[in-house]
Amino acid sequence: MEKKVRVRFAPSPTGGLHLGGVRTALFNYLFARQHQGTFILRVEDTDQTRFVPGAEAYIASCLEWCGIKPDESPDLGGPFAPYRQSERKASYRQYAERLVASGHAYYAFDTPEELDAKRKAAPNFLYGQATRMEMRNSLTLDAAEVQALLDANTPHVVRIKIPENETVSFHDLIRGHVSFDTNLVDDKVLLKADGMPTYHLAVVADDRAMEISHVFRGEEWLPSAPIHILLWRYLGWEDEMPAWVHLPLILKPDGNGKLSKRDGDRLGFPVYAQNWTDPKTGDLTKGFRELGFMPEAFVNLLAMLGWNDGTDQEIFSLDELVEKFSLERISKAGAKFDYEKAKWYNHEWIKKTPAATLAPAVKTALTAAGIEIADNENLFTVIELVKDRCNIISDFVTQSAYFFVPPKEYDVASVKPKWNEQKTAFFEAYAASPMEGTAQALEAEFKALATVHQLKPGELMLPFRVMLVGGKFGPGVFDIAILLGKAEVKNRIKAALAAFI
């Protein structure tokens, strides 16, 4: 019988959620939905030294914003609860003890000071085949001494005993056949002195307990794969082992190495899904949401980092991604992150999104800029007029503020060199004209008056735009004029003339 698809996103609550983490969650979600399976959020909080208050709620908020909703989670519960590893602490020791009893793991009593001394003496020190017999552990001490140390509750860890001269192989659904030489793998800690498991033991125990069918994780976890496969084998669960899917890295824009938060800080773009404030330092790291990205665009751009459907299509809704997603189309090679391309995705989604849907976010941005909006219908019209010019939501402030408040400054430099008394007379006359009808009627009236004043309409369009907007941007100038209304247009012409003359 085919195994039911059950996948998990298992972040550690240690800070902001990197876009690579969200992509891992997304690919898990798409695969689960495509196969009518279950998507689980499991919080891997076994490293209490790195635990950050608020990080778990932040992760859940990021997934909710993206529309990547889990079926089972710490908040939702489920048949395999609890979904926080710290709450499953009691379940892990039995597996560590079983591995010790079978000879596949051992107790290590080395103190932190002893380990530090070893590392200073040998900078590339690894606790493993070449060094384990020099250390204080249950392989070098006699059984009575080991028991005495255990009876005295002497602090100790449990380490896996990696075999010598073996090859650990597995099939990765993206990379095909992958092999590791065990002589290059060290004896990782499985259970820490505080009784908490490390990632290696906990992830295997929990994936088995929660009946995980496929493990999607980043390429950076490949070096850990032999340890995990050996644990599945040594615990007698190899027949239940999930399928492996190691996703390609998201690379720096130049392609040299994995994209990090520092790269975003250095190059001026976000790498977190949402704003993250470090509770210890108060430092704010900006996220895609607060910088004006739509969740649909963020999900779309993440899906295209390392995957495509084999066509030229680039714009996908979440439902379309569920329909089209396939493991076969995931690349082995890393995907370079391009912020300009990210903004392009957002621009495309802004263009195709109805004004009524965009309005709350646009209104929030305008309010933050000190512009209060009373008339939503007018706002909807403005959004439709300018959205083709906006890459991120905050662009709406620049592109539409002048519809609600007069310009405080004018791009006089673009007008002044060619200004003359003839143009002053034209605009004084235009400010006194009827200005009735549609945008087309206003344009016809404007051109007719230009002819009377022996001026070319083209010479007057830019000054008129600057009068209404403040600069050389915006949609059709007569569309702007219609929305502003006759009285406001006349006032703006008069105010601008004072600046131009």
Side-chain angles (χ1 to χ4, degrees):
M1 191 173 89
E2 191 175 345
K3 206 173 186 180
K4 178 174 167 54
V5 168
R6 287 179 56 80
V7 297
R8 62 13 178 219
F9 174 54
S12 298
T14 56
L17 185 55
H18 187 279
L19 59 91
V22 186
R23 188 193 60 174
T24 298
L26 173 64
F27 284 9
N28 271 291
Y29 174 88
L30 296 176
F31 189 75
R33 290 291 172 268
Q34 193 174 69
H35 292 89
Q36 291 75 53
T38 302
F39 170 57
I40 300 156
L41 172 62
R42 186 174 75 214
V43 176
E44 301 200 337
D45 58 348
T46 56
D47 189 346
Q48 293 294 295
T49 61
R50 297 179 65 225
F51 175 78
V52 176
E56 183 187 318
Y58 166 87
I59 290 165
S61 173
C62 290
L63 295 186
E64 183 178 358
W65 176 63
C66 292
I68 308 171
K69 297 174 183 174
D71 302 299
E72 301 170 21
S73 72
D75 292 336
L76 295 170
F80 298 91
Y83 292 92
R84 290 185 191 92
Q85 285 184 335
S86 60
E87 295 172 9
R88 303 173 70 86
K89 178 179 175 180
S91 70
Y92 301 115
R93 179 167 285 277
Q94 60 177 311
Y95 304 124
E97 297 292 356
R98 190 198 300 180
L99 291 163
V100 172
S102 65
H104 294 302
Y106 57 94
Y107 303 117
F109 299 95
D110 316 277
T111 65
E113 293 75 20
E114 288 168 339
L115 291 171
D116 283 344
K118 278 285 185 184
R119 292 186 187 106
K120 284 175 184 171
N124 297 319
F125 170 78
L126 288 177
Y127 203 126
Q129 298 155 23
T131 58
R132 63 168 77 113
M133 300 310 290
E134 306 166 6
M135 311 301 289
R136 289 180 69 238
N137 55 52
S138 57
L139 301 176
T140 59
L141 303 171
D142 62 49
E145 191 174 357
V146 170
Q147 193 56 54
L149 289 168
L150 293 175
D151 290 344
N153 291 321
T154 305
H156 65 279
V157 300
V158 175
R159 290 180 179 272
I160 187 172
K161 186 181 178 185
I162 298 292
E164 295 182 48
N165 305 319
E166 288 188 18
T167 299
V168 176
S169 300
F170 69 96
H171 180 75
D172 185 275
L173 294 179
I174 295 175
R175 295 159 199 285
H177 184 78
V178 182
S179 293
F180 291 90
D181 178 354
T182 58
N183 293 326
L184 303 176
V185 182
D186 55 325
D187 294 353
K188 297 293 186 187
V189 173
L190 301 179
L191 199 72
K192 293 178 279 191
D194 62 2
M196 289 293 268
T198 62
Y199 171 79
H200 304 294
L201 179 61
V203 74
V204 170
D206 287 345
D207 282 351
R208 194 251 182 174
M210 295 181 183
E211 299 177 7
I212 299 303
S213 65
H214 298 74
V215 168
F216 286 74
R217 61 187 184 184
E219 180 186 324
E220 63 267 32
W221 288 108
L222 267 173
S224 298
I227 298 153
H228 301 162
I229 288 164
L230 287 172
L231 288 174
W232 281 96
R233 183 181 302 164
Y234 293 162
L235 288 164
W237 302 335
E238 198 164 10
D239 290 346
E240 303 169 65
M241 189 168 69
W244 301 95
V245 186
H246 286 90
L247 303 172
L249 294 177
I250 298 177
L251 304 173
K252 305 171 193 272
D254 63 8
N256 293 320
K258 182 182 174 184
L259 180 70
S260 71
K261 175 184 170 295
R262 287 185 297 278
D263 297 315
D265 294 341
R266 177 173 57 88
L267 298 170
F269 57 73
V271 297
Y272 287 172
Q274 295 180 181
N275 276 5
W276 168 252
T277 302
D278 187 307
K280 291 181 182 175
T281 64
D283 291 343
L284 170 67
T285 303
K286 289 187 177 179
F288 280 87
R289 183 181 71 173
E290 289 77 8
L291 279 176
F293 277 76
M294 300 179 66
E296 297 89 348
F298 184 57
V299 165
N300 192 163
L301 72 91
L302 287 184
M304 304 303 284
L305 286 171
W307 173 87
N308 66 76
D309 75 337
T311 73
D312 292 333
Q313 183 177 345
E314 292 189 272
I315 303 300
F316 293 88
S317 68
L318 192 54
D319 287 343
E320 287 174 317
L321 288 171
V322 169
E323 180 189 342
K324 300 280 183 70
F325 183 72
S326 67
L327 295 179
E328 295 75 22
R329 298 297 311 173
I330 297 176
S331 169
K332 293 177 192 174
K336 287 193 283 190
F337 178 73
D338 181 345
Y339 187 54
E340 292 307 311
K341 184 70 173 182
K343 289 193 291 186
W344 176 84
Y345 279 109
N346 207 52
H347 176 65
E348 293 301 308
W349 272 98
I350 284 174
K351 285 197 300 184
K352 72 194 300 260
T353 301
T357 304
L358 293 168
V362 173
K363 196 169 186 176
T364 298
L366 288 166
T367 301
I371 300 166
E372 294 300 326
I373 308 298
D375 183 354
N376 275 342
E377 284 303 317
N378 191 35
L379 177 61
F380 294 167
T381 306
V382 169
I383 289 172
E384 285 297 345
L385 264 182
V386 304
K387 68 182 186 179
D388 284 7
R389 302 166 184 274
C390 299
N391 290 322
I392 54 178
I393 295 297
S394 57
D395 289 345
F396 279 95
V397 176
T398 304
Q399 294 293 340
S400 67
Y402 55 85
F403 282 105
F404 308 102
V405 292
K408 291 179 181 173
E409 296 177 350
Y410 301 97
D411 182 4
V412 176
S414 66
V415 175
K416 198 83 169 174
K418 295 183 179 179
W419 194 257
N420 56 39
E421 290 182 6
Q422 196 178 6
K423 289 178 181 176
T424 300
F426 166 82
F427 279 105
E428 286 174 344
Y430 187 58
S433 69
M435 293 192 193
E436 302 291 353
T438 63
Q440 290 83 359
L442 284 188
E443 185 173 4
E445 180 186 6
F446 186 93
K447 289 179 176 177
L449 189 61
T451 302
V452 170
H453 283 258
Q454 298 181 327
L455 290 165
K456 293 177 182 176
E459 296 177 57
L460 302 166
M461 291 294 189
L462 176 59
F464 188 36
R465 178 178 295 282
V466 173
M467 289 172 171
L468 301 186
V469 173
K472 299 184 288 185
F473 58 92
V477 71
F478 297 102
D479 293 320
I480 297 171
I482 286 291
L483 263 180
L484 290 176
K486 179 167 57 176
E488 181 63 19
V489 170
K490 290 174 184 279
N491 288 338
R492 291 194 186 188
I493 291 172
K494 291 171 185 173
L497 281 175
F500 293 175
I501 298 171

